[in-house]
């Protein structure tokens, strides 16, 4: 049987239940015995069943209820706020209600969440820095609920609509700026080393060094969380060394905030003694002291674009492109300057 | 006819439509002619109709779909992020989907928004720094959709469940701290003068002065927006005067950020030359330079409590208290110190 041509009746007959029972499972109804539900789900997955778009629309017993699910692995910072703003900018005028979920730091939603999504039948699901496993992807696909990923990690699952930004270029441009100012000993504090976004930025950092033949010190490349605390901890370590760097490239504006504090505590002035580059260009970064030189990620635009892709898919259309990467851009403010005239390690050229 | 006892049949008969038509209007269905809908709405309002709780539950054709609407007048800063976090902390474990709306700066939702809410039938509606007009309140009440207000403005509409915080006390404690340090000439930069929260804080500011017999200068009380830009603009003005104050009490941490920049640009050190007190105690305020002395508002707790009140009402229960005010608390960090030894206006005692 060709994939995708199976009907609800086929599934019902194979599992030995009624057509309405299969329909209930598809519509996220909870009044089906767990064992039956599992057998139906398995049959749906086996056949690669997909609900026709027209059926889905007709089956919507809730005219006027248009929802979009937005899922964060964690939503407690200004980064998340930018994403929310970008989604609202599209959904507000379209009168689509945005249902916000937070996974408490996990990068995979629990099954209860998928169950709830199937029950509320949103137009689509937008995942931020999180993903679905194969079973979850199939469950949404079989209900014809499209999903997309705002993925600054840079690893789009194949076939999933994704909007990201060019992390490698961001790492490259931030580091080039420091090298051009004359820095020859630069630390990189990045996010977790199992996130592709962190690794891409650090690779850009290394490439910028290689371009101009300046060696980088593996001891000065640090992996951590993207928060201020992590920036502070690594900042204290690298800036307290006798052979301390003259510049720090941070993986986020929050990490840069932590580095700024570490520098203050060690009596180092920014940018006179230490230059600091952030990443993200959150709105608050221009208000910091010193105003932060940082790599701008177009977070609102990324979220708006991903939302539009979802609404297009929900309406049965096809977005012009399924995997988009927006450009990052260096914003130069006051936290970077040439290195101090006499450094212990200034013999780079 | 006693209020609240009218049945759908009474309404149908009075308007001259069928019972299912009234039911459709009540359930937010869009397939009813606009004129008919208006007549039904008017009859519902005239009779003070309220859908019985039991009916509402039974009528829910969407088992497993539990939503709560969260409405911001603007949601683009860390203050909103704290509220979202507080709501998610309650709704996540309860498997209630949070539908986020932003009114683009308006303090009243448009009618389309109310229509969408009636269609999606959430367990309740939580309004943040925004309100409903009498007609909108009635429309939700007649559908038995409870609503609550997180209201730092301090003006709860009568009978509406509200969680706020004590703004007057916040103004008092922040100012007392500055007076106790020896400041005798203090500026207050607050929010809009038509918001009760701003006015209550300024009244607390004045009362703290009166307590110790220190006069306050009306020229140093400034009203503005709660953002950094407004803090910066007013900060430049008051700090550039020949008779400049030795301390500034800001109406928000964002305003304090703007005052810090104004001080820097004028060559004034904080806290050596100028002390600055913020308001809110956003998580980022401890990372600023200098770490901000500020009045803590328990925003997450306020949002969590209001959410719990809504879920209690939705379940047919009654919250222990309908109008709650949580306490504010001064957090002393590094942006405040005694005034410089020689000031032009230090003759306060």
């Amino acid at each position: 049987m060709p994939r995708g041509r199976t009907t609800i009746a086929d599934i019902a007959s194979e599992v030995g239940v009624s057509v309405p029972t299969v329909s209930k499972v598809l519509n996220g109804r909870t009044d089906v015995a767990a064992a039956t539900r599992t057998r139906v789900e398995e049959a749906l997955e086996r056949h690669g069943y997909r609900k026709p778009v027209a059926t889905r629309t007709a089956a919507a017993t809730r005219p006027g209820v248009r929802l979009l699910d937005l899922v964060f692995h964690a939503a407690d910072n200004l980064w998340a706020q930018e994403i929310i703003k970008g989604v609202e900018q599209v959904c507000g005028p379209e009168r689509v209600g945005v249902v916000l979920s937070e996974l408490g730091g996990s990068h995979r939603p629990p099954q209860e969440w998928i169950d709830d999504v199937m029950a509320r039948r949103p137009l689509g699901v937008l995942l931020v820095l999180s993903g679905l496993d194969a079973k979850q992807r199939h469950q949404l696909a079989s209900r014809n609920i499209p999903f997309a990923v705002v993925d600054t990690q840079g690893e789009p699952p194949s076939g999933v609509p994704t909007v990201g930004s060019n992390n490698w270029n961001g790492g490259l441009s931030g580091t080039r700026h420091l090298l051009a100012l004359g820095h020859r000993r630069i630390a990189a504090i990045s996010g977790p080393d199992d996130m592709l976004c962190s690794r891409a930025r650090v690779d850009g950092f290394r490439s910028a060094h290689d371009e101009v033949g300046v060696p980088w010190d593996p001891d000065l490349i640090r992996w951590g969380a993207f928060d201020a605390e992590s920036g502070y901890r690594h900042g204290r370590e690298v800036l307290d060394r006798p052979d301390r760097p003259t510049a720090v490239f941070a993986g986020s504006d929050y990490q840069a905030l932590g580095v700024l504090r570490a520098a203050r505590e060690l009596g180092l002035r920014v940018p006179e003694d230490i230059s600091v580059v952030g990443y993200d260009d959150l709105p608050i970064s221009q208000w910091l002291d010193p105003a932060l030189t940082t790599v701008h990620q177009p977070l609102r635009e990324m979220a708006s674009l991903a939302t539009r892709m979802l609404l297009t898919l929900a309406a049965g259309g096809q977005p012009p492109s399924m995997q988009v990467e927006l450009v990052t851009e260096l914003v130069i403010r006051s936290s970077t300057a040439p290195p101090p005239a006499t450094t212990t390690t200034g013999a780079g050229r």
Side-chain angles (χ1 to χ4, degrees), chain A:
Chain A
M1 189 182 312
R3 281 177 74 86
R5 298 297 185 79
T6 317
T7 65
I8 294 185
D10 299 330
I11 300 285
S13 147
E14 178 174 317
V15 178
V17 298
S18 71
V19 167
T21 297
V22 177
S23 185
K24 278 182 185 176
V25 172
L26 277 171
N27 289 329
R29 292 275 294 268
T30 48
D31 49 348
V32 177
T36 309
R37 206 174 139 188
T38 304
R39 280 162 52 223
V40 171
E41 287 285 359
E42 284 167 359
L44 290 169
E45 185 160 359
R46 207 157 48 237
H47 289 277
Y49 175 83
R50 302 209 169 208
K51 211 169 171 180
V53 176
T55 304
R56 185 171 92 92
T57 307
T61 53
R62 302 172 292 139
V65 179
R66 288 154 50 86
L67 299 174
L68 183 136
D69 265 84
L70 173 62
V71 191
F72 285 95
H73 83 297
D76 57 357
N77 58 45
L78 277 170
W79 191 95
Q81 195 71 57
E82 290 296 294
I83 300 284
I84 291 171
K85 192 85 186 173
V87 173
E88 284 285 340
Q89 276 170 354
V90 174
C91 286
E94 294 278 342
R95 294 179 64 175
V96 171
V98 178
V99 183
L100 192 70
S101 302
E102 208 215 13
L103 305 180
S106 160
H107 289 270
R108 285 271 176 284
Q111 187 58 38
E112 298 82 50
W113 178 84
I114 291 280
D115 291 343
D116 290 347
V117 167
M118 292 191 299
R120 65 182 163 244
R121 280 175 283 160
L123 296 173
V125 173
L126 187 58
L127 298 145
V128 182
L129 280 188
S130 55
L132 302 172
D133 63 30
K135 183 185 167 208
Q136 294 174 332
R137 280 201 298 274
H138 177 75
Q139 285 189 312
L140 292 189
S142 66
R143 273 74 177 179
N144 220 329
I145 298 174
F147 52 100
V149 181
V150 171
D151 182 51
T152 52
Q153 298 190 62
E155 185 173 37
S158 88
V160 173
T162 307
V163 180
S165 71
N166 194 319
N167 290 294
W168 184 82
N169 259 311
L172 188 78
S173 64
T175 313
R176 274 181 176 167
H177 167 62
L178 291 170
L179 289 163
L181 285 169
H183 294 273
R184 289 298 173 266
R185 188 161 169 75
I186 309 173
I189 299 175
S190 195
D193 66 354
D194 61 351
M195 281 173 80
L196 285 192
C197 60
S198 310
R199 283 160 51 194
R201 290 173 200 175
V202 169
D203 281 347
F205 168 88
R206 287 189 278 230
S207 271
H209 282 78
D210 296 347
E211 270 181 346
V212 291
V214 172
W216 42 268
D217 181 347
D219 264 12
L220 293 184
I221 296 180
R222 303 299 177 105
W223 308 97
F226 276 123
D227 59 16
E229 190 60 44
S230 184
Y232 170 70
R233 215 175 44 251
H234 284 300
R236 284 289 311 215
E237 277 180 32
V238 299
L239 295 180
D240 208 13
R241 301 161 57 119
D243 60 344
R244 70 159 186 267
T246 60
V248 178
F249 178 49
S252 70
D253 291 347
Y254 276 91
Q255 284 186 333
L257 257 179
V259 173
L260 291 179
R261 168 181 286 184
R264 277 199 302 281
E265 290 185 0
L266 293 166
L268 299 168
R269 294 161 304 159
V270 177
E272 294 82 356
D273 302 315
I274 299 290
S275 285
V276 178
V277 175
Y279 205 103
D280 287 334
D281 190 27
L282 298 175
I284 208 169
S285 63
Q286 62 173 299
W287 290 100
L288 301 180
D289 177 24
L292 205 58
T293 295
T294 184
V295 177
H296 179 77
Q297 277 207 93
L299 296 168
R300 285 192 195 191
E301 291 82 351
M302 287 159 65
S304 290
L305 186 55
T307 305
R308 271 192 222 101
M309 283 162 73
L310 272 182
L311 296 184
T312 300
L313 288 166
Q318 194 64 25
S321 175
M322 288 291 270
Q323 303 203 329
V324 181
E325 198 169 81
L326 298 184
V327 294
T328 51
E329 194 180 354
L330 181 70
V331 180
I332 299 174
R333 296 200 183 96
S334 314
S335 64
T336 47
T342 54
T343 75
T344 54
T345 56
R349 44 175 91 226

